[in-house]
Amino acid sequence: MPSHRYSDVYHKVSVPLTQRQWPANRITAAPLWVPVDLRDGNQALAEPMDPDRKRRFFELMVAMGYKEIEVGYPSASQTDFDFVRLIGTAGLAPEDVTIVVFTPARRDLIERTVASVAGLTNDVVIHMYTATAPVWRDVVLGRSRAEVAELIRDAGRDILELAGDRANIRFEFSPEVFMLTEPDYVLEVCDSMTTLWDATPRRPVILNLPATVEVATPNVYADQIEYMHRNLSRRDSVILSVHPHNDRGTGVACAELAVLAGAQRVEGCVFGNGERTGNVDIATLALNLHAQGVDPMIDFSDIDAIRRTVEYCTRMPVPERHPYVGDLVYTAFSGTHQDAIKKGFAEHRDRATRLHRSEREIPWQVPYLPIDPADVGRSYDAVIRVNSQSGKGGIAYLLHTEYDLDLPRRLQIDFAHHVQRHTDDTGAEVTAATLLALLTATYSPASSRIRLLDSIVRKEQLHLTLDVDGRPTEYRIPVATPAESLASLLTESGTDIEVLAVTRHPRPDGSTVAYLEYRTAGNTRWAIGFGDTAATAAVAAIVAAAELAVPEQHPVDVH
């Protein structure tokens, strides 16, 4: 690959910062989130949102708790202009939600933008932008540093003239391509805007510093943000904002480090939609905070409903491995992961019991799951799924959660071999229903040699009537040792079964399952029986073992 064509940009974007403070900082509170899905995200769609989709998206973001929402680019299209007007005429925005509108630094477009928010009683932010980086100045704008600075100030004066007397309107400036702009120049331009707009603590100016195109590692962006944070004039009258894109795939890291470096506000899209590789993903940022014990101040408790709305509005699917919201992000196929998760869930339940608290009240400490899926409205049904990469832990977990079957460990190991053969043959994922069918076919087949005709308990004895090779036979065995006693009696019919262990447990439907470990013809095997009582379940396990004693008659087929 022709890597020599690309110069190292680090030296171009580095800032004169030596004793940086951001590496030692910690995020202890959520920044102000500003979703730009209706503007920046909408511009990046092959089919921009129609009015119905824009309204549904806006109402979703209000319901999630966003307090500042960028709603459009009113000078770019009639659709955007009309939607901004609709917010006011239809009363779509609660009083505590600030509406942001976006405009280039050009008077006619500013006039159109100001007209779109006429009559809005909510707080409004007019967001003006101009590219400031050298390549953009030279190639796109064809202006010098001084000329671009004057262009920005002229547009700032236009905004003051057209909207400066409205108490509910504040101002935002973005030096587009901030991360490639000379530090001294961008500082000069930003300071000139806070002076022009007379930024005060009561009416602060938003300075938004975008990583319009990611060109360096996140630590470089953090240095740039900290440099601005420490050197801006009127700092107490500035809301320092960032708008990272994701060209290098590190937009989330850039935003997190920028907050450590002094940013107070983050612009992005709910699931990271945006030009090229997208804007920063607010869901990931917010739930990263949640996973660290910090309230994200945005409600993702029904993340699948949010995803469905976003997918409808954007006509774009959310990938299965997308952090926190993807279909498979809480799912383990790997055997080692499944075993750890299974044990983690069991320990979590036990800890809740010991503390006499609900499982939702105690600290979350389950391997491989950074947050409880229930926090975002997910059930545990798909946490473990079985394929050819899975092991006994995942198999046992599915059988327990779906069918209340607690397989003994040695049976788990034995059954895992059967499942492995099945998945190798089919190459497909195995559902819980397929696992149950395979389990019963392997360890509890319908018997052709021995059938239980009747059973009743009388005076600590189990009275059985069995059909053994076509001959009805009555047996009386102790209720306390039904498996051992029946196995001994069946030796008379030529069935060699030595009981090694019997494990039984009740099921929620009132039935009992018995797991029988036995030896026959020198081999250790397993059988399973189901019954209304512990005794009849053990008898059923012995009957299954007797049937399995002639294995060639019982090929396992669950296809």
Side-chain angles (χ1 to χ4, degrees):
M1 296 179 66
S3 301
H4 62 278
R5 298 178 59 219
Y6 305 96
S7 62
D8 178 8
V9 298
Y10 285 76
H11 70 281
K12 296 181 180 178
V13 300
S14 61
V15 296
L17 191 67
T18 54
Q19 296 181 329
R20 54 187 56 81
Q21 298 170 3
W22 65 260
N25 293 337
R26 295 293 179 268
I27 301 176
T28 58
L32 172 62
W33 308 114
V34 182
V36 296
D37 297 82
L38 298 178
R39 193 275 300 173
D40 199 338
N42 191 47
Q43 292 173 216
L45 297 176
E47 295 181 67
M49 287 179 259
D50 55 43
D52 173 67
R53 283 177 164 82
K54 291 201 80 168
R55 180 169 182 163
R56 283 188 61 175
F57 210 137
F58 179 80
E59 290 172 343
L60 168 70
M61 291 189 287
V62 169
M64 291 171 67
Y66 288 104
K67 297 304 179 185
E68 190 169 315
I69 302 171
E70 190 167 274
V71 298
Y73 195 152
S75 65
S77 71
Q78 189 65 43
T79 300
D80 268 26
F81 184 91
D82 291 344
F83 180 70
V84 177
R85 300 296 299 148
L86 178 68
I87 291 173
T89 58
L92 300 184
E95 291 181 0
D96 61 346
V97 172
T98 297
I99 301 301
V100 184
V101 286
F102 189 74
T103 181
R106 211 174 84 189
R107 183 178 177 88
D108 59 327
L109 303 182
I110 293 169
E111 288 177 338
R112 180 74 168 162
T113 302
V114 173
S116 74
V117 298
L120 266 176
T121 57
N122 294 72
D123 284 348
V124 172
V125 171
I126 295 179
H127 179 184
M128 184 191 78
Y129 80 97
T130 299
T132 54
V135 172
W136 275 255
R137 294 194 307 260
D138 298 341
V139 175
V140 181
L141 300 175
R143 302 193 184 205
S144 66
R145 278 176 52 141
E147 289 169 334
V148 170
E150 188 57 31
L151 179 153
I152 294 168
R153 285 190 290 271
D154 283 346
R157 295 185 190 101
D158 290 335
I159 289 175
L160 274 180
E161 175 190 337
L162 297 166
D165 60 346
R166 289 179 51 182
N168 68 320
I169 292 183
R170 293 185 290 113
F171 310 126
E172 175 179 355
F173 171 63
S174 285
E176 191 192 4
V177 212
F178 157 79
M179 71 297 154
L180 278 173
T181 303
E182 306 93 330
D184 64 315
Y185 180 62
V186 76
L187 184 64
E188 172 194 329
V189 170
C190 286
D191 281 345
S192 73
M193 296 308 293
T194 57
T195 300
L196 175 66
W197 285 337
D198 192 22
T200 66
R202 292 178 59 84
R203 195 182 187 185
V205 166
I206 301 166
L207 293 176
N208 184 56
L209 308 177
T212 312
V213 184
E214 273 197 303
V215 294
T217 51
N219 62 294
V220 175
Y221 189 54
D223 280 353
Q224 293 174 317
I225 300 301
E226 183 169 329
Y227 174 79
M228 297 294 288
H229 167 61
R230 289 165 61 176
N231 289 282
L232 281 168
S233 62
R234 302 197 185 201
R235 182 63 186 89
D236 62 344
S237 303
V238 168
I239 297 174
L240 192 59
S241 176
V242 292
H243 181 119
H245 279 249
N246 199 42
D247 299 84
R248 293 170 57 96
T250 56
V252 167
C254 280
E256 290 179 326
L257 269 56
V259 173
L260 293 176
Q264 301 151 287
R265 180 180 182 271
V266 176
E267 297 184 354
C269 287
V270 175
F271 294 132
N273 174 45
E275 294 284 9
R276 306 181 309 278
T277 56
N279 291 291
V280 72
D281 184 325
I282 293 181
T284 300
L285 288 167
L287 290 170
N288 282 354
L289 289 183
H290 173 69
Q292 296 162 7
V294 177
D295 184 352
M297 305 301 290
I298 301 294
D299 184 3
F300 284 98
S301 60
D302 191 352
I303 203 167
D304 288 326
I306 296 170
R307 181 191 64 188
R308 287 191 295 270
T309 299
V310 172
E311 288 180 331
Y312 166 77
C313 293
T314 63
R315 300 181 178 91
M316 291 173 56
V318 174
E320 292 181 334
R321 298 293 182 188
H322 193 108
Y324 296 108
V325 68
D327 282 338
L328 296 179
V329 296
Y330 305 104
T331 300
F333 289 100
S334 161
T336 53
H337 288 212
Q338 291 175 342
D339 184 61
I341 291 171
K342 173 177 174 285
K343 291 173 179 174
F345 273 133
E347 197 280 333
H348 187 75
R349 287 191 296 270
D350 291 345
R351 186 154 36 95
T353 300
R354 291 194 303 270
L355 295 172
H356 304 289
R357 298 170 67 186
S358 75
E359 294 177 31
R360 295 283 288 151
E361 293 177 328
I362 64 173
W364 180 255
Q365 296 175 355
V366 175
Y368 296 112
L369 294 176
I371 69 168
D372 184 346
D375 290 352
V376 291
R378 290 283 178 88
S379 71
Y380 301 135
D381 293 346
V383 169
I384 289 178
R385 289 164 59 179
V386 172
N387 63 12
S388 61
Q389 304 300 308
S390 306
K392 65 183 187 307
I395 295 164
Y397 176 85
L398 282 184
L399 289 172
H400 172 71
T401 55
E402 295 291 331
Y403 302 109
D404 299 295
L405 297 173
D406 291 323
L407 275 60
R409 179 176 173 78
R410 289 191 300 279
L411 176 55
Q412 293 177 27
I413 295 170
D414 189 82
F415 184 44
H417 296 305
H418 294 276
V419 176
Q420 184 72 50
R421 283 195 293 271
H422 176 81
T423 54
D424 285 345
D425 289 344
T426 64
E429 181 185 347
V430 179
T431 65
T434 302
L435 285 177
L436 181 64
L438 185 61
L439 182 78
T440 54
T442 304
Y443 302 109
S444 187
S447 180
S448 59
R449 292 188 58 236
I450 303 174
R451 292 185 298 117
L452 177 62
L453 302 179
D454 190 29
S455 69
I456 190 170
V457 176
R458 292 175 181 165
K459 296 181 179 179
E460 300 301 319
Q461 282 195 323
L462 184 60
H463 292 235
L464 299 174
T465 302
L466 300 180
D467 184 323
V468 181
D469 294 328
R471 297 190 305 274
T473 307
E474 293 187 358
Y475 298 91
R476 295 184 181 183
I477 58 178
V479 172
T481 57
E484 295 85 346
S485 301
L486 182 58
S488 177
L489 292 171
L490 286 177
T491 57
E492 299 173 6
S493 64
T495 302
D496 176 22
I497 297 175
E498 178 190 353
V499 175
L500 301 177
V502 182
T503 304
R504 290 171 285 199
H505 68 77
R507 303 173 75 195
D509 62 3
S511 66
T512 297
V513 58
Y515 308 103
L516 171 67
E517 188 177 18
Y518 66 97
R519 185 179 292 118
T520 183
N523 296 313
T524 299
R525 295 179 178 174
W526 287 86
I528 299 177
F530 301 90
D532 294 334
T533 67
T536 56
V539 167
I542 289 292
V543 171
E547 181 70 9
L548 290 165
V550 191
E552 62 274 9
Q553 296 180 9
H554 309 288
V556 174
D557 185 3
V558 295
H559 297 287

